[in-house]
Amino acid sequence: MNGSTQQDIGKLILRIALGVLVFLHGLSKLEGGLDGIFKLVETQGFPGFFAYGVIVGEVIAPLMVITGFFSRIGGILIVVNMLFALYLVHLGDIGHLNDQGGWAIELQVMYLVTGAAIALLGPGKYAFNQR
């Protein structure tokens, strides 16, 4: 297997891993409803419609990443979503460790950084489009 094929397979694995995990996270929010998210964003001084960003960042963007359909944009949307999540929900956890000794926000940061990597690397060969 040549280096180019290995890179494309690596990008595919990265896309699927991030996309599936964030998508499942978003589905749980859809099942539970967005009422709590509306209250959260409004409490922080943002307009209520920002709550719909969860659907964009945790449902639509992961599907874009998984399929490789404008996955760079999907990666950017996941990054923006995670920045909002860190600010709105996890800001107090930045300096803390979890019960297992890991960083309390390690999952959120992994989503953010992986989304940024996809935005920079692109989807690779195994995608609906190479954007």
Side-chain angles (χ1 to χ4, degrees):
M1 187 178 319
N2 67 34
S4 178
T5 300
Q6 289 176 339
Q7 289 181 12
D8 288 327
I9 291 171
K11 291 174 185 179
L12 176 64
I13 292 169
L14 188 66
R15 285 188 5 243
I16 290 172
L18 175 65
V20 168
L21 293 173
V22 174
F23 181 73
L24 292 173
H25 198 73
L27 279 183
S28 71
K29 292 205 175 84
L30 287 180
E31 290 173 357
L34 295 177
D35 292 340
I37 297 169
F38 269 98
K39 290 176 188 169
L40 178 66
V41 297
E42 289 173 342
T43 300
Q44 293 295 323
F46 293 104
F49 70 87
F50 273 37
Y52 291 112
V54 169
I55 296 170
V56 173
E58 295 184 14
V59 176
I60 297 170
L63 291 174
M64 293 169 71
V65 167
I66 291 167
T67 61
F69 184 72
F70 293 99
S71 60
R72 288 180 189 262
I73 294 171
I76 291 168
L77 292 171
I78 290 171
V79 167
V80 171
N81 182 75
M82 293 317 304
L83 289 172
F84 269 94
L86 285 167
Y87 177 75
L88 294 172
V89 181
H90 302 286
L91 199 57
D93 298 329
I94 289 177
H96 297 99
L97 300 177
N98 62 27
D99 293 337
Q100 294 78 35
W103 195 14
I105 59 169
E106 62 190 17
L107 182 62
Q108 293 80 13
V109 172
M110 183 62 72
Y111 289 165
L112 186 148
V113 172
T114 307
I118 290 169
L120 292 169
L121 293 171
K125 176 178 164 183
Y126 305 108
F128 277 112
N129 64 21
Q130 276 67 49
R131 297 182 178 157

